[in-house]
Amino acid sequence: MTAQTKTDAWTADRDHLLHPYTDFSTFREEGSQVIESASGMHVIDSEGNKLLDGIGGLWCVNIGHGRKEMAETIAEQVMKMQYYNPFGHSTNVPASMLGAKLAELAPGDLNHVYYTCGGSTANDAAIRLVHFYFDQLGQHRKKKIISRANAYHGATYVAASLTGIHGTKMGFDRIGEDFIHHVSAANLYEKPDGWSDADYCDYLVREFDARIQQLGPDNVAAFIAEPIMGAGGVLVAPDGYHRRMWEVCQKYDMLYIADEVVTAFGRLGEWFASDALYDYQPDIMVCAKGLSSGYIPLGATLLSTRVYDVIAQPQCEGGVLSMGLTYFGHPVACAAALKNIEIMERENILEHVREVGPYLQESAKSLMNLPIVGDVRGSHLMLGVDLVKDKGTKEAIGDGVGEKIFQGCLKRGVIVRPVGDRMIVSPPLIISKEECDEIVAAISGAIKDYLADEGA
């Protein structure tokens, strides 16, 4: 990239793009980091810096950057047929074959697929289909959805309302407050002193049951939850939590929606985590991100036979399922997803994650020796590091320290993700143990530099 091109890109971005989560207090002056190219585990910015991608793009570049096979598959599909109208009774080969593959990989009877363009739209679709499902059953009052504090389910209007992270709502109008409600996050780091994990799990399940009773069981349609909370803090629930929450849903004839946008396709060493790791069978499962490893936008809402058999009945004479997207089952995106899955199977990437993931978690525990690290937690290739003022009180450190640690990691050639007072790591699934060490060393070194600057 020439100096002029670099300047033009930086200026054009600053002047014309509205980024997700733009900080307008600094954006006009600082602009954006321009990423020019990417390969394998690394990206290269416009200054020529080679950076280890410790966040997998955004939880999604599971097979790594710049795979030639993916480019060839995408190009081949474009030349064969890049798009055709998917409405009504029209399909294409990649969408059909990917649907069959997803049904094969998904647990239980999640055999039916509604395609979207990403995780937010897949969650929106899930909620609309839940409401349609109960309407078809004649249960028109059963509309309320229970989500969790600190959950992240997307940025479209309904998905943003499902999201329980307070900071994402500042200044925005809130919709759906009549039907979207929240219970506590399963945050073991903040459980009350003296409680065991089992005590805390009992409390969370009782709270959930009580909220359903408060709202009225005949009014509550579904519970939505991530197996492990991602953007909300890499929160790992106590043992048995998801199974017991699922059992409560069964008790009240509610649907369980598993938001596996982050956790599916290998991040936890399984195609899907719900059944394999947490022993519950969702009625609806949402996926995106790792489905195509970020090569082409694609999301999917998987429906159980229980749900499909109800919504597949004509609701009236001449009636149709009147929801859909122009890019439903986009042939190029679906071809990319099929190739992505083929690569993961051929290279035994799930088995690799089961080996290297625990190594990352164990290596990261060394960060607990640092005075401002309050907690290190996660599973496999999901890792969260909490920064605190005081380990005893667990008070968040604030003062932009997370951003300073992020910048310190960049100087060491590693990208991590600062989310407030928390550092998040979610690398491509092809990461080596040596690269895991590099990430941990960068975080450690950045924190030590900060402490030295503060005279601590």
Side-chain angles (χ1 to χ4, degrees), residues 54-55 84-85 97 106 136 139 158 168 188 241 257 274-275 281 284 288 306 331 349 364 425 441 445:
I55 59 174
Y84 186 71
N85 166 26
M97 300 312 295
Q136 286 288 81
Q139 300 179 50
V158 169
T168 65
L188 283 168
Y241 167 85
I257 305 169
S274 300
D275 177 64
Q281 176 60 49
I284 298 175
R306 168 190 176 184
I349 287 179
V425 175

Side-chain angles (χ1 to χ4, degrees), residues 73 112 140 170 179 199 267 378:
T73 296
H112 305 276
H140 301 287
M170 294 174 63
F179 74 90
D199 293 335
R267 187 144 299 279

Side-chain angles (χ1 to χ4, degrees), residues 421-441:
D421 302 290
R422 184 173 291 125
M423 312 310 296
I424 288 179
V425 175
S426 57
L429 309 188
I430 60 172
I431 190 171
S432 67
K433 291 181 178 179
E434 292 75 20
E435 288 162 335
C436 289
D437 291 338
E438 188 177 345
I439 291 172
V440 174

Side-chain angles (χ1 to χ4, degrees), residues 259-431:
D259 181 344
E260 293 223 33
V261 168
V262 168
T263 55
F265 297 97
R267 187 144 299 279
L268 299 179
E270 302 289 345
W271 291 111
F272 298 96
S274 300
D275 177 64
L277 298 179
Y278 299 108
D279 192 30
Y280 68 101
Q281 176 60 49
D283 299 287
I284 298 175
M285 183 181 288
V286 176
C287 58
K289 294 191 183 291
L291 172 58
S292 65
S293 281
Y295 278 76
I296 299 283
L298 182 64
T301 305
L302 309 185
L303 308 175
S304 66
T305 298
R306 168 190 176 184
V307 173
Y308 179 81
D309 283 351
V310 171
I311 68 172
Q313 297 300 315
Q315 71 271 39
C316 62
E317 184 177 351
V320 298
L321 181 65
S322 53
M323 58 182 286
L325 302 169
T326 299
Y327 296 126
F328 174 97
H330 194 282
V332 180
C334 291
L338 282 165
K339 178 57 67 172
N340 174 62
I341 293 169
E342 177 193 320
I343 290 170
M344 292 184 68
E345 289 179 325
R346 187 178 70 239
E347 297 183 2
N348 297 316
I349 287 179
L350 299 186
E351 290 80 357
H352 176 72
V353 173
R354 293 172 198 150
E355 177 185 356
V356 77
Y359 180 86
L360 172 64
Q361 300 297 323
E362 185 62 30
S363 177
K365 288 180 181 178
S366 64
L367 297 172
M368 286 296 296
N369 296 323
L370 298 167
I372 63 169
V373 174
D375 194 32
V376 175
R377 62 179 171 270
S379 180
H380 295 81
L381 294 181
M382 295 180 70
L383 178 70
V385 179
D386 279 9
L387 305 176
V388 296
K389 287 184 179 179
D390 182 271
K391 291 189 183 233
T393 65
K394 303 179 183 179
E395 181 185 357
I397 197 164
D399 298 325
V401 174
E403 177 66 20
K404 293 176 183 177
I405 304 307
F406 163 70
Q407 292 295 337
C409 289
L410 276 185
K411 291 178 182 177
R412 289 167 169 79
V414 172
I415 300 173
V416 296
R417 185 182 179 201
V419 180
D421 302 290
R422 184 173 291 125
M423 312 310 296
I424 288 179
V425 175
S426 57
L429 309 188
I430 60 172
I431 190 171

Side-chain angles (χ1 to χ4, degrees), residues 54-221:
I55 59 174
L58 195 61
W59 309 96
C60 60
V61 186
N62 289 7
I63 62 171
H65 297 278
R67 300 289 294 245
K68 184 179 179 181
E69 279 185 88
M70 293 295 288
E72 291 173 342
T73 296
I74 290 166
E76 180 182 343
Q77 184 59 47
V78 168
M79 296 306 297
K80 183 178 295 183
M81 184 188 75
Q82 92 290 354
Y83 174 78
Y84 186 71
N85 166 26
F87 278 45
H89 302 178
S90 175
T91 192
N92 63 74
V93 174
S96 302
M97 300 312 295
L98 178 61
K101 187 63 177 179
L102 292 175
E104 173 193 327
L105 297 175
D109 64 346
L110 290 163
N111 294 325
H112 305 276
V113 181
Y114 179 88
Y115 290 116
T116 69
C117 300
S120 297
T121 47
N123 275 319
D124 270 24
I127 301 307
R128 194 172 185 203
L129 289 168
V130 165
H131 287 171
F132 183 64
Y133 168 83
F134 282 111
D135 282 342
Q136 286 288 81
L137 292 175
Q139 300 179 50
H140 301 287
R141 292 170 49 197
K142 213 166 174 66
K143 290 288 191 292
K144 296 185 184 296
I145 310 295
I146 297 179
S147 181
R148 299 184 294 173
N150 292 322
Y152 185 82
H153 296 297
T156 49
Y157 227 157
V158 169
S161 297
L162 291 171
T163 292
I165 302 173
H166 178 69
T168 65
K169 304 174 186 295
M170 294 174 63
F172 283 93
D173 289 339
R174 302 188 184 192
I175 62 164
E177 291 188 322
D178 57 332
F179 74 90
I180 295 174
H181 303 267
H182 295 82
V183 292
S184 299
N187 187 347
L188 283 168
Y189 182 51
E190 295 185 357
K191 72 180 180 183
D193 292 340
W195 284 23
S196 67
D197 288 4
D199 293 335
Y200 184 49
C201 187
D202 289 343
Y203 164 77
L204 293 170
V205 175
R206 287 197 304 269
E207 179 199 33
F208 182 47
D209 196 297
R211 180 60 59 85
I212 296 168
Q213 291 290 341
Q214 177 191 47
L215 297 171
D218 290 342
N219 300 320
V220 185

